[in-house]
Amino acid sequence: MDKLPQDPFMLFSYVNTQLRDVFASLDEFCKSADIDRAALEARLKEAGFEYNEEQNKFW
């Protein structure tokens, strides 16, 4: 996850933008970016964000 923004709010914004504009699911994003989904979700959860699969975004 070194390629991603380190600030949790910037990470939140970046990931949601990718999910909105490019990827149909979090799994697709993680596979494309070679990121561990569980680690990404845990990192964003620490900042208070959870993934909503139905809406394909963190909030």
Side-chain angles (χ1 to χ4, degrees), residues 19 22-34 37:
L19 293 174
V22 182
F23 298 99
S25 72
L26 183 58
D27 286 329
E28 284 183 27
F29 170 72
C30 290
K31 183 176 180 180
S32 174
D34 194 28
R37 177 181 171 155

Side-chain angles (χ1 to χ4, degrees), residues 12-46:
F12 165 78
S13 178
Y14 175 77
V15 171
N16 273 346
T17 299
Q18 293 297 303
L19 293 174
R20 182 190 69 221
D21 296 345
V22 182
F23 298 99
S25 72
L26 183 58
D27 286 329
E28 284 183 27
F29 170 72
C30 290
K31 183 176 180 180
S32 174
D34 194 28
I35 296 168
D36 179 351
R37 177 181 171 155
L40 176 62
E41 286 188 277
R43 189 163 162 201
L44 286 169
K45 189 170 188 160
E46 286 177 9

